[in-house]
Amino acid sequence: MRHAFFFLTLLIFASCSEQTRTVEMVSTTEQNAWQSVENSSWVAESESPDVIINLNDYEQTIDGFGTCFNELGWTSLSLLSDADRESILKELFEPGVGANFTICRMPVAANDFARNWYSYDETDGDFEMENFSIANDFETLIPFIHNAQNYNPNIMLWASPWSPPQWMKYNGHYAARSAQGDSNFHSDDFGMDMRGINNGLTPDREGKEGTDMFIQEDKYLQAYALYFSKFIEAYRNEGIDISMVMPQNEFNSTQIFPSCTWTAASLANFIGKYLGPEMDKIGVDVMFGTVERANEALVDTILTDPDASKYVSGVGFQWAGKGAIPGINERYPELKMYQTEQECGNGKNDWENCVYSWDLVKQYMTNGTNAYLYWNTSLVEGGISTWGWKQNSLVTVDPETHTFQYNHEYYLMKHLSHYVQPGAKFVNSSGEFDNLLAFENPDGSMILIIQNEEDADKTVTVKLGEENLALNLKADSFTTVEIK
């Protein structure tokens, strides 16, 4: 049953067959989200259709769409009534209801949207992980995931760390860049404001891109692989199966929040000799990432390493890493690639950023990615992190009134994830109009997601095989068309 929306269906008898086709359309504008519309009609064959869907011309298979489980996501949802919180989780995760999310990311201990810094073992020199504990997560991440699993027990989960335990790093600190509490730094582009933030790291202990902050000694690398294994085991004991890990979030970035730089060569060594064998023993996949630079050589270093390449099942890209995807996809066409973190906006959750996000989706999907993940599921009004970064979210919670709203980008994600099933194939298209994505689901249904960026309504004629479908698109809108 579709999520409490009545879809007006158009039954058409195809002229070249006796089968019935059903067309459903739903549209979102800045003013009106997720509106069922009756704006399509089958027309006589056009000599010059705007779009030609190249049936049977497939690219990558889609693993799914999803979001991330962060601590501040759960603390914000916890401000709501039980009924409201459950309605959101049902909307996000229950199959066939709303967003229909099937694949999600989580951190290994603290990330930038944690309540504060923590790791699972801060005991200096505990190479046997005797003091390993996920006690912190019973307050946030575990109930968050459990409540999502109540609606979809088959969510595919993967995880990555932002920083290892502090004693495993040369600088002995969770961060890689200093914030001294009196900085005037402020960036409207990223919504980041470090004024008043003091992470306790002095400038002389800062990291640097292209260097290893993780201690490159055998006993540390072996202990860190064990740390991953303990994490997987502890979560399995709570009924949460994490099927894949990536070794480091944004390994080139020095941040004031949990972060750790590595060289690609050192990550290849860690994966090939330590993490890969350890994960292989417990049946967990390893993907390389997350890659946040438009530098294909970083990926090549891993994929051409004789030890690491045996264990790497794919690569995850985010932010500027999107610039490396076209070349990697061309040279490694069978490689699984994930978009691992949508660029997170500035806390305004406005329509402009939603339109930008559509361009991101198109770039990733047209260059072979198998999964697309949003970042913050829920945040309080303003979306500010523990370390001063304002970001967007699918849901905004008002901490004063204990109410919530779904944001524009939620509906954009829903336009894809509600309809495009895991196992769908990306379908190539051609023609003068190219502001769309096309997929064919395992059940044979065709899904088109289209943007009309113009300020006026627009008619687009789509050719599917021997048939032509005229779609009347609202001004400045996103529309999903399902053809069965």
Side-chain angles (χ1 to χ4, degrees):
M1 181 180 293
R2 300 293 185 199
H3 169 68
F5 289 99
F6 174 72
F7 284 97
L8 190 59
T9 60
L10 177 64
L11 300 179
I12 302 294
F13 289 90
S15 59
C16 59
S17 72
E18 296 302 320
Q19 296 180 349
T20 302
R21 284 184 179 265
T22 304
V23 178
E24 295 181 355
M25 292 180 65
V26 62
S27 180
T28 291
T29 64
E30 183 176 7
Q31 292 75 28
N32 295 294
W34 204 252
Q35 300 291 306
S36 176
V37 291
E38 183 188 5
N39 283 339
S40 68
S41 59
W42 296 98
V43 296
E45 184 171 356
S46 171
E47 293 184 0
S48 56
D50 301 297
V51 183
I52 300 171
I53 305 300
N54 301 320
L55 302 178
N56 301 317
D57 184 5
Y58 303 126
E59 296 293 342
Q60 73 272 21
T61 300
I62 304 303
D63 286 359
F65 299 87
T67 184
C68 184
F69 295 110
N70 285 331
E71 284 206 292
L72 295 190
W74 183 247
T75 58
S76 60
L77 290 175
S78 297
L79 298 173
L80 301 172
S81 68
D82 290 350
D84 281 347
R85 182 172 61 255
E86 292 305 311
S87 73
I88 292 170
L89 293 169
K90 180 175 182 176
E91 168 73 11
L92 295 178
F93 296 107
E94 185 163 305
V97 171
N100 209 31
F101 288 151
T102 57
I103 179 170
C104 290
R105 181 184 188 180
M106 65 172 295
V108 180
N111 65 4
D112 52 327
F113 275 75
R115 294 175 296 176
N116 214 322
W117 161 252
Y118 72 98
S119 81
Y120 298 133
D121 192 339
E122 282 297 298
T123 303
D124 191 1
D126 186 12
F127 295 104
E128 301 301 320
M129 292 291 130
E130 293 178 355
N131 294 294
F132 183 96
S133 173
I134 61 168
N136 176 87
D137 295 4
F138 284 98
E139 299 177 8
T140 51
L141 295 177
I142 290 172
F144 197 175
I145 296 168
H146 276 162
N147 277 264
Q149 288 178 321
N150 288 338
Y151 297 98
N152 183 358
N154 299 314
I155 297 170
M156 185 277 200
L157 278 171
W158 67 273
S160 64
W162 269 243
S163 174
Q166 296 177 115
W167 56 273
M168 292 184 174
K169 297 172 68 176
Y170 288 118
N171 74 345
H173 196 279
Y174 68 80
R177 185 159 62 93
S178 175
Q180 293 296 297
D182 57 354
S183 172
N184 293 319
F185 173 82
H186 178 71
S187 170
D188 288 332
D189 291 338
F190 291 99
M192 195 168 186
D193 190 344
M194 293 196 303
R195 290 172 293 193
I197 303 295
N198 189 339
N199 63 9
L201 181 66
T202 55
D204 61 299
R205 295 158 62 203
E206 290 186 331
K208 185 178 180 181
E209 181 172 352
T211 65
D212 290 307
M213 295 187 71
F214 189 94
I215 300 173
Q216 297 296 309
E217 296 178 18
D218 179 77
K219 62 182 179 180
Y220 286 91
L221 294 163
Q222 188 61 56
Y224 198 32
L226 179 60
Y227 181 86
F228 275 81
S229 185
K230 289 277 192 179
F231 163 70
I232 299 294
E233 179 185 14
Y235 265 80
R236 282 180 177 173
N237 289 339
E238 301 307 317
I240 298 171
D241 185 34
I242 298 161
S243 60
M244 183 267 286
V245 295
M246 298 191 192
Q248 174 63 50
N249 178 73
E250 297 188 347
F251 63 93
N252 299 285
S253 297
T254 58
Q255 306 283 15
I256 66 172
F257 46 78
S259 49
C260 183
T261 59
W262 293 69
T263 63
S266 291
L267 281 172
N269 178 60
F270 177 54
I271 293 170
K273 296 178 180 177
Y274 302 93
L275 182 63
E278 188 70 26
M279 294 297 97
D280 191 52
K281 287 191 293 187
I282 59 175
V284 173
D285 290 338
V286 176
M287 289 180 70
F288 176 55
T290 58
V291 180
E292 84 287 30
R293 295 286 184 264
N295 184 350
E296 297 173 26
L298 298 173
V299 181
D300 286 328
T301 299
I302 306 299
L303 298 181
T304 59
D305 183 274
D307 293 320
S309 60
K310 292 186 297 186
Y311 298 104
V312 171
S313 62
V315 180
F317 301 86
Q318 58 194 50
W319 290 85
K322 64 182 180 284
I325 289 180
I328 294 298
N329 184 43
E330 182 178 351
R331 288 184 288 113
Y332 304 94
E334 302 304 317
L335 181 70
K336 186 181 291 291
M337 299 192 299
Y338 280 9
Q339 180 273 17
T340 45
E341 178 185 311
Q342 179 174 293
E343 296 173 32
C344 48
N346 53 15
K348 296 179 180 179
N349 293 296
D350 55 19
W351 184 252
E352 180 182 0
N353 202 80
C354 182
V355 171
Y356 174 72
S357 297
W358 165 246
D359 290 335
L360 292 175
V361 173
K362 285 194 300 179
Q363 177 166 356
Y364 280 100
M365 285 291 150
T366 55
N367 284 289
T369 50
N370 305 90
Y372 191 96
L373 284 85
Y374 196 78
W375 180 227
N376 288 297
T377 303
S378 173
L379 293 173
V380 296
E381 192 79 39
I384 193 166
S385 77
T386 304
W387 287 272
W389 197 347
K390 296 178 181 179
Q391 297 188 359
N392 291 355
S393 55
L394 298 175
V395 176
T396 292
V397 173
D398 187 324
E400 302 297 328
T401 63
H402 301 282
T403 57
F404 72 93
Q405 68 178 31
Y406 293 108
N407 295 319
H408 295 307
E409 288 172 276
Y410 169 68
Y411 291 104
L412 174 60
M413 288 292 295
K414 186 176 177 181
H415 270 282
L416 290 110
S417 60
H418 181 81
Y419 287 100
V420 181
Q421 304 163 8
K425 300 284 189 182
F426 182 88
V427 183
N428 284 314
S429 60
S430 56
E432 291 188 4
F433 184 87
D434 62 358
N435 201 352
L436 85 163
L437 298 171
F439 304 87
E440 184 176 312
N441 279 325
D443 64 7
S445 59
M446 183 69 66
I447 308 299
L448 310 178
I449 303 95
I450 307 174
Q451 182 198 24
N452 175 17
E453 60 188 310
E454 298 179 8
D455 293 332
D457 292 357
K458 180 182 182 70
T459 299
V460 173
T461 303
V462 179
K463 182 176 179 62
L464 299 106
E466 300 301 318
E467 299 175 284
N468 292 268
L469 182 63
L471 303 171
N472 301 311
L473 308 175
K474 294 183 178 181
D476 195 14
S477 68
F478 299 102
T479 300
T480 298
V481 184
E482 179 185 53
I483 305 164
K484 289 187 176 180

